[in-house]
Coordinates of all heavy atoms in Angstrom, one line a residue:
M10 N -8.4 -20.9 17.6 CA -9.8 -21.2 17.6 C -10.1 -22.5 16.8 O -9.6 -22.6 15.7 CB -10.6 -20.0 17.0 CG -12.1 -20.3 17.1 SD -13.1 -18.9 16.6 CE -12.2 -17.7 15.8
T11 N -10.8 -23.4 17.4 CA -11.1 -24.7 16.8 C -12.6 -25.0 17.0 O -13.2 -24.6 17.9 CB -10.3 -25.8 17.3 OG1 -10.5 -26.0 18.7 CG2 -8.8 -25.7 17.1
I12 N -13.1 -25.7 16.0 CA -14.5 -26.3 16.1 C -14.4 -27.5 17.0 O -13.8 -28.5 16.6 CB -15.1 -26.6 14.8 CG1 -15.2 -25.3 13.9 CG2 -16.5 -27.2 15.0 CD1 -15.6 -25.5 12.5
A13 N -14.9 -27.4 18.2 CA -14.8 -28.5 19.2 C -15.9 -29.6 19.0 O -15.7 -30.7 19.2 CB -14.8 -28.0 20.6
N14 N -17.1 -29.1 18.5 CA -18.2 -30.0 18.4 C -19.3 -29.4 17.6 O -19.5 -28.2 17.4 CB -18.8 -30.3 19.8 CG -19.7 -31.5 19.9 OD1 -19.7 -32.4 19.0 ND2 -20.6 -31.5 20.8
K15 N -20.1 -30.3 16.9 CA -21.3 -29.9 16.2 C -22.3 -31.0 16.5 O -22.1 -32.1 16.2 CB -21.0 -29.7 14.7 CG -22.2 -29.3 13.9 CD -21.9 -29.2 12.5 CE -23.2 -29.0 11.7 NZ -22.9 -29.1 10.2
E16 N -23.5 -30.6 17.0 CA -24.5 -31.6 17.4 C -25.9 -31.0 17.3 O -26.0 -29.8 17.3 CB -24.2 -32.2 18.8 CG -24.4 -31.1 19.9 CD -24.1 -31.7 21.2 OE1 -24.1 -32.9 21.4 OE2 -23.8 -30.9 22.1
A17 N -26.8 -31.9 17.3 CA -28.3 -31.5 17.3 C -28.8 -31.6 18.7 O -28.6 -32.6 19.4 CB -29.1 -32.3 16.4
V18 N -29.4 -30.5 19.2 CA -30.0 -30.5 20.6 C -31.4 -30.1 20.4 O -31.7 -29.0 19.9 CB -29.2 -29.5 21.5 CG1 -29.9 -29.5 22.8 CG2 -27.8 -30.0 21.6
D19 N -32.3 -31.0 20.7 CA -33.8 -30.7 20.5 C -34.1 -30.2 19.1 O -34.9 -29.3 18.9 CB -34.2 -29.6 21.5 CG -34.2 -30.2 23.0 OD1 -34.3 -31.4 23.2 OD2 -34.0 -29.3 23.9
G20 N -33.5 -30.8 18.1 CA -33.7 -30.5 16.7 C -33.0 -29.3 16.2 O -33.1 -28.9 15.0
Q21 N -32.2 -28.6 17.0 CA -31.4 -27.4 16.6 C -30.0 -27.8 16.5 O -29.4 -28.4 17.4 CB -31.6 -26.3 17.7 CG -30.8 -25.1 17.4 CD -31.2 -24.3 16.1 OE1 -32.4 -24.0 16.0 NE2 -30.3 -24.1 15.3
E22 N -29.3 -27.5 15.4 CA -27.9 -27.7 15.2 C -27.1 -26.7 16.1 O -27.4 -25.5 16.0 CB -27.5 -27.6 13.8 CG -27.9 -28.7 12.9 CD -27.2 -30.0 13.1 OE1 -26.0 -30.0 13.4 OE2 -27.8 -31.0 13.1
I23 N -26.2 -27.2 16.9 CA -25.4 -26.3 17.7 C -23.9 -26.6 17.4 O -23.5 -27.7 17.3 CB -25.6 -26.6 19.2 CG1 -27.1 -26.5 19.6 CG2 -24.7 -25.8 20.1 CD1 -27.6 -25.1 19.6
M24 N -23.1 -25.5 17.2 CA -21.7 -25.6 17.0 C -21.0 -25.0 18.3 O -21.4 -24.0 18.8 CB -21.2 -24.8 15.8 CG -19.8 -25.0 15.5 SD -19.2 -24.1 14.0 CE -19.9 -25.2 12.8
T25 N -19.9 -25.7 18.7 CA -19.1 -25.3 19.8 C -17.7 -24.9 19.3 O -17.1 -25.7 18.7 CB -19.0 -26.4 20.9 OG1 -20.3 -26.8 21.3 CG2 -18.2 -25.9 22.1
L26 N -17.3 -23.7 19.6 CA -16.0 -23.2 19.3 C -15.2 -23.2 20.5 O -15.7 -22.8 21.6 CB -16.0 -21.8 18.7 CG -16.7 -21.6 17.4 CD1 -16.6 -20.1 17.0 CD2 -16.1 -22.5 16.3
E27 N -13.9 -23.6 20.5 CA -13.0 -23.6 21.6 C -11.9 -22.5 21.3 O -11.3 -22.5 20.3 CB -12.4 -24.9 21.8 CG -11.5 -25.1 23.0 CD -11.0 -26.5 23.2 OE1 -11.9 -27.4 23.3 OE2 -9.8 -26.7 23.2
L28 N -11.8 -21.6 22.3 CA -10.8 -20.5 22.2 C -9.6 -20.8 23.2 O -9.9 -21.0 24.4 CB -11.4 -19.2 22.5 CG -12.6 -18.8 21.8 CD1 -13.2 -17.5 22.3 CD2 -12.3 -18.6 20.3
N29 N -8.4 -20.9 22.6 CA -7.2 -21.1 23.5 C -6.2 -20.0 23.2 O -5.7 -19.9 22.1 CB -6.6 -22.4 23.1 CG -7.5 -23.6 23.5 OD1 -7.9 -23.7 24.6 ND2 -7.7 -24.5 22.6
D30 N -6.0 -19.1 24.2 CA -5.1 -18.0 24.1 C -5.4 -17.1 22.9 O -4.5 -16.7 22.2 CB -3.7 -18.4 24.1 CG -3.2 -18.9 25.5 OD1 -3.7 -18.4 26.5 OD2 -2.4 -19.8 25.5
F31 N -6.7 -16.9 22.6 CA -7.1 -16.0 21.6 C -6.8 -14.6 22.0 O -7.4 -14.1 22.9 CB -8.6 -16.2 21.3 CG -9.2 -15.5 20.1 CD1 -9.0 -15.9 18.9 CD2 -9.9 -14.3 20.3 CE1 -9.5 -15.3 17.8 CE2 -10.4 -13.6 19.2 CZ -10.2 -14.1 18.0
K32 N -5.9 -13.9 21.3 CA -5.5 -12.6 21.7 C -5.9 -11.5 20.7 O -5.9 -11.8 19.5 CB -3.9 -12.6 21.8 CG -3.4 -13.5 22.9 CD -1.9 -13.4 22.9 CE -1.3 -14.1 24.0 NZ -1.3 -15.1 24.7
F33 N -6.3 -10.4 21.2 CA -6.6 -9.2 20.4 C -6.3 -7.9 21.1 O -6.3 -7.9 22.3 CB -8.1 -9.3 19.9 CG -9.1 -9.3 21.0 CD1 -9.7 -8.2 21.5 CD2 -9.4 -10.5 21.6 CE1 -10.6 -8.2 22.5 CE2 -10.3 -10.6 22.6 CZ -10.9 -9.4 23.1
D34 N -6.0 -6.9 20.4 CA -5.7 -5.6 20.9 C -6.9 -4.8 21.4 O -8.0 -5.0 20.7 CB -5.0 -4.7 19.9 CG -3.5 -5.1 19.7 OD1 -2.9 -5.7 20.6 OD2 -3.0 -4.8 18.6
A35 N -6.8 -4.0 22.4 CA -7.9 -3.1 22.8 C -8.1 -2.1 21.7 O -7.1 -1.9 20.9 CB -7.6 -2.4 24.1
I36 N -9.2 -1.5 21.6 CA -9.5 -0.5 20.5 C -8.5 0.6 20.5 O -8.0 1.1 19.5 CB -10.9 0.1 20.7 CG1 -12.0 -1.0 20.3 CG2 -11.1 1.3 19.7 CD1 -13.4 -0.7 20.6
D37 N -8.1 1.1 21.7 CA -7.1 2.2 21.8 C -5.6 1.6 21.9 O -4.7 2.4 22.1 CB -7.4 3.0 23.0 CG -7.3 2.3 24.3 OD1 -6.9 1.1 24.3 OD2 -7.5 2.9 25.4
H38 N -5.4 0.3 21.7 CA -4.1 -0.3 21.7 C -3.4 -0.2 23.0 O -2.1 -0.2 23.0 CB -3.3 0.2 20.5 CG -3.9 0.0 19.2 ND1 -4.0 -1.2 18.6 CD2 -4.5 0.9 18.3 CE1 -4.6 -1.1 17.4 NE2 -5.0 0.2 17.2
S39 N -4.1 0.0 24.1 CA -3.5 0.2 25.4 C -3.1 -1.1 26.0 O -2.3 -1.1 27.0 CB -4.4 1.0 26.3 OG -5.6 0.3 26.5
C40 N -3.7 -2.2 25.6 CA -3.4 -3.5 26.1 C -3.8 -4.6 25.2 O -4.4 -4.4 24.1 CB -4.1 -3.7 27.5 SG -5.9 -3.7 27.4
V41 N -3.5 -5.8 25.5 CA -3.8 -7.0 24.7 C -4.7 -7.9 25.6 O -4.3 -8.2 26.7 CB -2.6 -7.8 24.2 CG1 -3.0 -9.0 23.5 CG2 -1.7 -6.9 23.3
Y42 N -5.8 -8.3 25.1 CA -6.7 -9.2 25.8 C -6.4 -10.7 25.3 O -6.1 -10.9 24.2 CB -8.2 -8.9 25.5 CG -8.6 -7.6 26.0 CD1 -8.7 -6.5 25.2 CD2 -9.0 -7.5 27.3 CE1 -9.1 -5.3 25.7 CE2 -9.5 -6.3 27.9 CZ -9.5 -5.2 27.0 OH -9.9 -4.0 27.5
S43 N -6.5 -11.6 26.3 CA -6.4 -13.0 26.0 C -7.6 -13.7 26.5 O -8.0 -13.5 27.7 CB -5.1 -13.5 26.7 OG -5.0 -14.9 26.5
V44 N -8.2 -14.5 25.6 CA -9.5 -15.2 26.0 C -9.3 -16.7 25.9 O -8.7 -17.2 24.9 CB -10.6 -14.8 25.0 CG1 -11.9 -15.5 25.4 CG2 -10.8 -13.3 25.1
N45 N -9.8 -17.4 26.9 CA -9.8 -18.9 26.9 C -11.2 -19.3 27.2 O -11.8 -18.7 28.2 CB -8.9 -19.5 27.9 CG -7.4 -19.3 27.5 OD1 -6.9 -19.8 26.5 ND2 -6.7 -18.5 28.3
G46 N -11.8 -20.2 26.5 CA -13.2 -20.6 26.8 C -13.9 -21.3 25.6 O -13.2 -21.6 24.6
T47 N -15.1 -21.5 25.7 CA -15.9 -22.1 24.7 C -17.1 -21.2 24.4 O -17.6 -20.5 25.2 CB -16.4 -23.5 25.0 OG1 -17.2 -23.4 26.2 CG2 -15.3 -24.5 25.2
I48 N -17.6 -21.3 23.1 CA -18.8 -20.6 22.7 C -19.7 -21.6 22.0 O -19.3 -22.3 21.1 CB -18.4 -19.5 21.7 CG1 -17.5 -18.5 22.3 CG2 -19.7 -18.8 21.2 CD1 -16.9 -17.5 21.3
D49 N -20.9 -21.7 22.5 CA -22.0 -22.5 21.8 C -22.9 -21.6 21.1 O -23.4 -20.6 21.7 CB -22.8 -23.3 22.8 CG -21.9 -24.4 23.5 OD1 -21.0 -24.9 22.8 OD2 -22.2 -24.7 24.7
F50 N -23.2 -21.9 19.8 CA -24.2 -21.0 19.1 C -24.9 -21.9 18.1 O -24.4 -22.8 17.6 CB -23.5 -19.8 18.5 CG -22.5 -20.1 17.4 CD1 -22.9 -20.2 16.1 CD2 -21.2 -20.3 17.7 CE1 -21.9 -20.5 15.1 CE2 -20.2 -20.6 16.8 CZ -20.6 -20.7 15.4
P51 N -26.2 -21.5 17.9 CA -27.1 -22.2 17.0 C -26.7 -21.9 15.5 O -26.2 -20.8 15.2 CB -28.4 -21.7 17.3 CG -28.2 -20.4 17.8 CD -26.9 -20.4 18.6
L52 N -26.9 -22.9 14.6 CA -26.6 -22.7 13.2 C -28.0 -22.6 12.5 O -28.9 -23.4 12.8 CB -25.9 -24.0 12.7 CG -24.5 -24.2 13.3 CD1 -23.9 -25.5 12.7 CD2 -23.6 -23.0 13.0
Y53 N -28.1 -21.6 11.7 CA -29.3 -21.4 10.9 C -29.0 -21.5 9.4 O -27.9 -21.1 9.0 CB -29.9 -20.0 11.2 CG -30.3 -19.8 12.7 CD1 -29.5 -19.1 13.5 CD2 -31.5 -20.4 13.1 CE1 -29.8 -19.0 14.8 CE2 -31.8 -20.2 14.5 CZ -31.0 -19.5 15.3 OH -31.4 -19.3 16.6
S54 N -29.9 -22.0 8.6 CA -29.7 -22.0 7.2 C -30.7 -21.1 6.5 O -31.8 -20.8 7.0 CB -29.9 -23.4 6.7 OG -31.2 -23.9 6.9
N55 N -30.2 -20.5 5.4 CA -31.1 -19.6 4.7 C -31.9 -20.3 3.6 O -31.5 -21.1 2.9 CB -30.3 -18.5 4.0 CG -29.7 -17.6 5.1 OD1 -30.2 -17.5 6.1 ND2 -28.6 -16.9 4.7

């Protein structure tokens, strides 16, 4: 997982994470999931 980008869109800070072969076990350990893609989410400050 890498931070691909951080930018302001319409005054809101947006961070983009890039997932490349991100693997995790199923809850019951019956299989392994592999995820490739991007996630954009807003950043908020307290």
Side-chain angles (χ1 to χ4, degrees):
M10 179 172 16
T11 58
I12 298 173
N14 193 22
K15 181 181 169 190
E16 64 183 341
V18 176
D19 295 329
Q21 175 67 55
E22 289 288 322
I23 304 292
M24 181 178 288
T25 302
L26 296 179
E27 186 175 299
L28 305 173
N29 293 309
D30 289 327
F31 185 78
K32 294 182 174 44
F33 57 96
D34 287 333
I36 292 173
D37 63 0
H38 303 287
S39 62
C40 63
V41 175
Y42 292 99
S43 179
V44 177
N45 292 295
T47 58
I48 301 170
D49 291 329
F50 62 94
L52 299 176
Y53 299 101
S54 61
N55 291 336

